[in-house]
Amino acid sequence: MKLKTLAVFSLVGLMASASQASDYPDKPVTLVVAYAPGGMTDILTRRIAATLQSKLGRPFIVENRAGATGQIATDYVRRQAPDGYTVLVGATSHVINPALKSLPYDARKSFAPVALLAVSPNFLLVNANKGIKNFAQFQAYAKTESSISYGTAGTGGAPHIVGELLRKQSGLPLNHISYRGAGPAMADLIAGHVPFGISESVTANVYLESGKVLPLAVASAQRLIRYPNVPTLNELGFHNFDLSTWVGVYAPAGTPQPILELLNREMRAAIDQPATREYIHSTGSEPGDLDLPKYWAFVEAELAKWKSVVTEAGVKDE
């Protein structure tokens, strides 16, 4: 009797889940962005939200909940109903934070990955007026200094980890300067208040094109089509520098599989819109295009990779 009762309850639960998914969406969907308005994560999310709203016929609302390298938005979404109506849009910090600090949530168990939106490489940059044109000159200069400041968008982000891994492997006296966002970090680099910086291509691209900053190396597995003359850090004799910043979407754990699959499919279609692909490419980034199983595997691999990198670099939460 107990087994029959359990079977009935399971069947009812599956039927309710299937019904919920078949009607989805039947009300507004909120995309919670883990960063302030104006950055790539926000801009890209708004483009995709507009496409989803047009295609699915329901409002897709973008809500910014910035702070604590994405933790504020992440913890908020974690506590929402797993029904597909509140999802998280975050960056690489989602898979870095678990390696750095104790969190009020489990980045793996509390969320269901939905879609990869874009991947942005990280550059080692120098102020164009510094007189340094390549990485060899940077090394020679650094060896004459007791401390070399470099700025990033903040502690715990991918650019910060790139800098600390480079410091560990090169032995150069690199000193991290943490800013409240990529914009202020780039502003101080251009003004010469810090001589070097590490930034994802979205922020760096406009200044690279203007010639105000120069790229010394890129922390990606291969050279970039857009910047073919910029060497990778791996080429320069270092290792494990396949460290890009990427934007991804997550739903609370327990969200019905059909809803996850629908969101993945429609978000990939939105990214594939010519204007959106052109925007992503214009920032020096690459559009994401992973189906649900591949994106789940990607997130798992990134969690393991960044844990290993953080341990090697000896990074501690500040």
Side-chain angles (χ1 to χ4, degrees):
M1 181 65 69
K2 288 183 178 180
L3 289 175
K4 289 183 179 180
T5 302
L6 286 173
V8 169
F9 276 122
S10 297
L11 180 60
V12 169
L14 287 171
M15 292 175 63
S17 177
S19 175
Q20 180 186 34
S22 66
D23 294 336
Y24 179 88
D26 62 0
K27 62 181 180 180
V29 177
T30 300
L31 306 177
V32 180
V33 176
Y35 301 94
M40 180 195 182
T41 305
D42 176 71
I43 293 171
L44 183 55
T45 300
R46 292 179 187 277
R47 284 176 173 266
I48 289 172
T51 301
L52 293 174
Q53 181 166 314
S54 175
K55 176 73 180 295
L56 298 176
R58 298 292 179 182
F60 276 73
I61 302 163
V62 177
E63 180 180 318
N64 300 85
R65 287 180 176 260
T69 59
Q71 292 177 65
I72 291 175
T74 304
D75 193 42
Y76 171 77
V77 172
R78 187 256 305 183
R79 292 182 279 106
Q80 304 309 303
D83 55 9
Y85 289 99
T86 306
V87 298
L88 172 71
V89 186
T92 320
S93 293
H94 184 77
V95 295
I96 296 175
N97 283 335
L100 282 175
K101 62 194 79 177
S102 176
L103 300 169
Y105 53 83
D106 187 314
R108 177 182 283 105
K109 296 180 180 179
S110 299
F111 296 93
V114 174
L116 177 67
L117 302 187
V119 179
S120 181
N122 289 298
F123 285 97
L124 173 61
L125 305 165
V126 61
N127 182 297
N129 296 323
K130 192 68 179 174
I132 294 174
K133 306 297 183 184
N134 55 50
F135 190 83
Q137 293 178 359
F138 165 69
Q139 280 186 305
Y141 168 81
K143 289 177 180 178
T144 67
E145 300 292 318
S146 60
S147 179
I148 301 293
S149 295
Y150 73 95
T152 77
T155 300
H160 172 214
I161 309 302
V162 168
E164 292 307 290
L165 186 61
L166 179 60
R167 176 189 59 77
K168 185 71 175 289
Q169 292 188 16
S170 68
L172 298 176
L174 302 179
N175 177 43
H176 180 233
I177 306 297
S178 178
Y179 287 83
R180 291 182 176 273
M186 191 61 63
D188 265 14
L189 175 61
I190 293 166
H193 299 314
V194 290
F196 300 97
I198 299 176
S199 176
E200 30 67 36
S201 65
V202 177
T203 303
N205 191 62
V206 64
Y207 302 105
L208 288 169
E209 291 186 342
S210 71
K212 293 180 179 180
V213 297
L214 300 177
L216 301 179
V218 63
S220 56
Q222 292 89 31
R223 293 195 184 199
L224 307 178
I225 295 175
R226 193 177 182 86
Y227 298 97
N229 296 322
V230 180
T232 69
L233 285 167
N234 292 334
E235 284 182 76
L236 295 170
F238 305 105
H239 61 271
N240 293 336
F241 277 98
D242 182 11
L243 303 175
S244 294
T245 297
W246 49 272
V247 179
V249 183
Y250 310 85
T255 300
Q257 187 73 9
I259 291 177
L260 298 177
E261 291 173 353
L262 183 149
L263 285 172
N264 174 273
R265 182 174 63 252
E266 295 300 337
M267 287 183 176
R268 289 166 63 201
I271 294 167
D272 202 41
Q273 293 288 312
T276 302
R277 290 184 67 84
E278 182 179 347
Y279 164 72
I280 294 172
H281 282 137
S282 75
T283 68
S285 306
E286 288 297 322
D289 186 22
L290 297 178
D291 63 22
L292 206 55
K294 288 179 181 177
Y295 182 51
W296 279 62
F298 173 82
V299 172
E300 282 292 320
E302 287 285 296
L303 281 162
K305 178 175 77 176
W306 285 100
K307 181 178 181 179
S308 175
V309 168
V310 166
T311 299
E312 180 184 346
V315 179
K316 305 293 183 183
D317 186 36
E318 296 175 11

